[in-house]
Structure formats: structure tokens, C-alpha cells
Amino acid sequence: MSRIVVTGGTGYIGSHTVVELIQSGFDITIIDNLSNSEIEVLSGIERITGVRPDFENIDCTDYMNLDKMLEKYTDIEGIIHFAASKSVGESVQNPLLYYHNNISSLINLLELMPKHNIRHIVFSSSCTVYGQPDHMPVNENAPIKPALSPYGNTKQICEEIIRDTIHATPQINATILRYFNPIGAHPTALIGELPNGIPNNLLPFITQTAAGLRSELRVFGNDYDTPDGSCIRDYIYVVDLAKAHVAALQHMLAGKKNGQLDYYNLGTGRGLSVLEILDMFQKVNDVKVPYKIVERREGDIEQVWADSSKANKELNWKADTPLEDILRSCWQWELHLKERREQAQAQ
Ligand code: UFG
């Protein structure tokens, strides 16, 4: 069996990916400093898969401890690197935190890979690197636009660091995955997104409003140049996204070449507006979400959706979960969280 190290493996996308990796037969070691996740996620993973992955509470910016930890294992074939700070607004307030966390953790991993004979890395990037693309759907050859936030800039810089490192150190192979908008939770409702405080992203805000935790959703702008005036995004189911990581890893492990660097867009190819998502969420779950239209949010791009045909072909992967099922999973997860809160209160 081969071992995969998953940094940020107790986080939202990380935990769903760990489940898919275990179910595909990989041994997993999670590295996470729990700065934006909870240790209980391991129990959720265990209940779904029957396996509790190895866990190391390490901050990836801590070179010495990372080195010591990697020394313990001799069977690591690859790393999937999720661990990063990810709030656009926070990155504007505290850019150095973002440059420090996101960039030094990647540099540490890339430095340690040859030392520990680890050949493959999968990196979490974002469609944010394209800014507002000139042509839609956007494919991997679209130009990289100036970043709109320090967070977005860290993704661009990290991509460049990987490219230059592979060029200089061809014993490493890398796959850069550019995510569109991940949403939803595992169908068991045992793992999902755990937003910290007031959610920034659309779906957690919708579900919290439906659950009565927020009084109303604010829809940021209805005067965009789109059919209903609200912004358009490509919402991809987190489980489909997780499966893409397994496919990307298997593709790398099967590859014969060294110094391979691939980029893939991960989306559905379908763009939906904020108002369309909101409408569909209410219909499939039979719940009400009060909302009002407010000013545009600074830094939002108008519309973006993916051309993922490269991943479809080369990774033999497709995001094909029906949107209705995805939106049901969002609501089931919120209900699960509600139950957890009630149980905690009763104790
Ligand atoms: N939106 C609302 N109200 C809310 C939250 C969001 O109307 O309360 C709208 C946004 O304006 C946007 C859409 O819902 O039109 C999606 O917003 P999200 O915040 O969920 O997602 P973004 O597309 O803004 O963000 C995503 C990733 C970021 C990444 C960014 C780059 O979550 O990591 O794309 O554009 F940086």
C-alpha cells in the first residue's frame, strides 16, 4: 500500500479527500495544526470509512517538526497540500499572515520532498488565478490576471514556486488543481464545512439563514451584466472535487516521466447565479431563506465557470452529482450541526 500525506486533512476539502483516498486503498497521514478545523473530524472520517487515519498536529510552517515527522515514515509516495489560510477578507486585513502561512508551508514541503524521497505533490489552487476571464468557459490556458487579494496572490505565487522548483528538481512531479466553488457535504452528513464565525461563502450563509442562525442572506448586487443581475459561479460538489484528487494522484503514480507538471480546472462547466442557487436550495429542501439585495461586494468578479474537459479526458473524472442532491447535502449537514449544538447544550 502506498501512504499519502494530506496537509490540512481535517479541513473541509481535505477531510472529504481523505475519505475518498481511504476508500481507494491508500494509507493516510494527516498533518494539520487545527487552526481552522476540529479534531472530531477524525471520528467522522472513521465512521464513514472504518479507518482512523494517522494524525500529526503540526504546523507546516514549522520546518523542524515537519522534517522529524516525515522521517518516521518510509512509505510516503505523495503529498496533497491543502493546509492554507483561505479567507479573502482576512488576507486583505492581514496580508503577512497569508504570505507567511501559505508560502512558507509550501516551500518547506518542496524542500523536504527530495530529502525524504517523496516524488509527488498535488497542490490546491483556485480559479481566482484567472480573475475575470475574457472568455468563458475558462480553460487552463487562459492568462493569469493580477490577483484581487493577498490570498489570491499567494495562490499565484505558490503556482510559480512549484513551476520553478519542478524545473530545477525534476525528481519531483506536481499537479496543480484549480478549484471553482466547492459546496456540499458528505452524503452521510458525518463531515462537512465548519465555518468559523460568520460565513463568507454563499452556501454556509444560506444554510445558516435557513436554520434561523442568521436573519437574512445579503445578495451582493443584482446589477451585474448577467441574465438576472447576480454573479455567476461554477459550484462543484465537494465529494466530486475530492474524487478528482484521487484521480490526479493515481495519474501521477502511474506516470513514467519525471519533472511532470500538470494543471487542471475542477468545475462542472455550468454557471449558476446567486439567485438561481438560492431558489433551487429553497425548492429542493422545502425551506425559506429570507434575503435582501445589497451593494456589490468589493473584489467579486462578475461571472466565471470552468472548462474542465482536460481533467475529464486525462484524469477520466467528471463532476456529475446532480445539483439537487448537492443542495440537499448542504441542508442535511446544517441539520446535523444543529443536532450537535442541541446535544452540547443538553449536557
Ligand atoms: N454571495 C452573496 N452573499 C453572501 C455570500 C456570497 O451574495 O453572503 C455571493 C458572492 O457575491 C458571489 C457568490 O455568492 O457572487 C459566491 O461567493 P462565495 O464567497 O461563496 O465564493 P467566491 O466565488 O467569492 O469565492 C471563491 C472561493 C475563494 C476564492 C474566490 C475567488 O471561496 O476561495 O472564489 O474569486 F478566492
Side-chain angles (χ1 to χ4, degrees):
M1 280 237 269
S2 50
R3 177 170 302 277
I4 305 299
V5 166
V6 182
T7 76
T10 50
Y12 175 43
I13 307 172
S15 57
H16 288 83
T17 300
V18 167
V19 165
E20 297 302 320
L21 287 166
I22 292 173
Q23 289 177 338
S24 302
F26 291 99
D27 285 332
I28 302 299
T29 298
I30 291 176
I31 301 181
D32 206 303
N33 66 357
L34 301 174
S35 60
N36 196 19
S37 62
E38 294 175 4
I39 194 71
E40 288 73 34
V41 171
L42 296 178
S43 310
I45 294 171
E46 187 176 8
R47 281 181 66 194
I48 298 169
T49 63
V51 176
R52 193 171 181 91
D54 288 356
F55 175 78
E56 304 276 351
N57 187 338
I58 292 173
D59 187 321
C60 291
T61 63
D62 178 352
Y63 183 93
M64 300 295 272
N65 274 321
L66 206 51
D67 189 20
K68 248 192 255 160
M69 180 252 133
L70 293 173
E71 194 69 52
K72 286 203 302 198
Y73 296 93
T74 52
D75 58 346
I76 302 172
E77 289 216 63
I79 296 176
I80 303 186
H81 182 40
F82 292 104
S85 304
K86 62 166 189 178
S87 159
V88 175
E90 187 185 41
S91 79
V92 175
Q93 301 301 322
N94 198 349
L96 291 180
L97 175 79
Y98 276 66
Y99 288 116
H100 178 69
N101 275 355
N102 294 4
I103 294 173
S104 22
S105 52
L106 175 69
I107 292 175
N108 284 346
L109 290 170
L110 290 173
E111 279 185 357
L112 288 166
M113 284 175 70
K115 181 171 179 202
H116 295 280
N117 242 329
I118 304 170
R119 292 190 47 226
H120 307 286
I121 183 163
V122 177
F123 178 70
S124 298
S125 189
S126 162
C127 68
T128 191
V129 300
Y130 300 120
Q132 177 60 67
D134 302 322
H135 304 286
M136 222 70 81
V138 59
N139 69 28
E140 292 82 355
N141 299 320
I144 302 301
K145 296 273 179 77
L148 292 172
S149 68
Y151 160 78
N153 207 20
T154 66
K155 291 297 172 192
Q156 296 192 1
I157 294 169
C158 285
E159 287 200 4
E160 287 170 3
I161 290 173
I162 292 172
R163 190 196 58 207
D164 293 345
T165 306
I166 303 294
H167 181 75
T169 319
Q171 65 264 42
I172 299 178
N173 303 304
T175 301
I176 291 175
L177 301 179
R178 293 177 178 153
Y179 311 152
F180 283 66
N181 286 58
I183 60 167
H186 197 266
T188 57
L190 291 168
I191 53 172
E193 192 169 4
L194 290 168
N196 207 345
I198 301 173
N200 291 311
N201 295 115
L202 180 62
L203 262 299
F205 209 105
I206 289 180
T207 56
Q208 290 197 2
T209 308
L213 295 172
R214 316 259 157 226
S215 57
E216 61 185 0
L217 170 75
R218 295 182 307 145
V219 173
F220 298 130
N222 69 346
D223 55 352
Y224 285 98
D225 188 15
T226 59
D228 66 20
S230 63
C231 291
I232 294 178
R233 297 286 183 275
D234 185 334
Y235 295 93
I236 173 172
Y237 186 34
V238 66
V239 175
D240 288 335
L241 188 62
K243 288 180 176 158
H245 290 74
V246 180
L249 198 63
Q250 281 167 337
H251 186 71
M252 291 175 99
L253 294 173
K256 299 275 177 288
K257 283 196 271 176
N258 282 329
Q260 187 79 13
L261 172 59
D262 287 307
Y263 299 82
Y264 296 102
N265 280 350
L266 300 179
T268 66
R270 179 182 181 196
L272 285 161
S273 75
V274 175
L275 293 172
E276 281 174 315
I277 282 278
L278 182 58
D279 183 53
M280 208 181 280
F281 178 86
Q282 296 182 97
K283 278 198 185 117
V284 300
N285 293 307
D286 196 21
V287 288
K288 279 263 157 289
V289 180
Y291 74 94
K292 72 172 176 207
I293 309 283
V294 301
E295 289 296 291
R296 292 179 178 198
R297 182 171 69 177
E298 204 188 327
D300 265 344
I301 55 162
E302 184 171 270
Q303 44 189 317
V304 62
W305 65 93
D307 175 350
S308 292
S309 50
K310 186 171 177 231
N312 300 157
K313 266 188 236 121
E314 294 182 11
L315 302 180
N316 195 20
W317 164 91
K318 200 167 176 8
D320 53 9
T321 306
L323 188 62
E324 289 79 3
D325 293 351
I326 304 173
L327 294 176
R328 276 188 207 104
S329 80
C330 296
W331 183 228
Q332 288 310 310
W333 173 243
E334 189 63 55
L335 293 176
H336 168 84
L337 291 176
K338 187 165 179 238
E339 213 172 281
R340 273 193 2 195
R341 278 192 302 274
E342 284 165 2
Q343 277 168 1
Q345 267 166 10
Q347 274 165 12

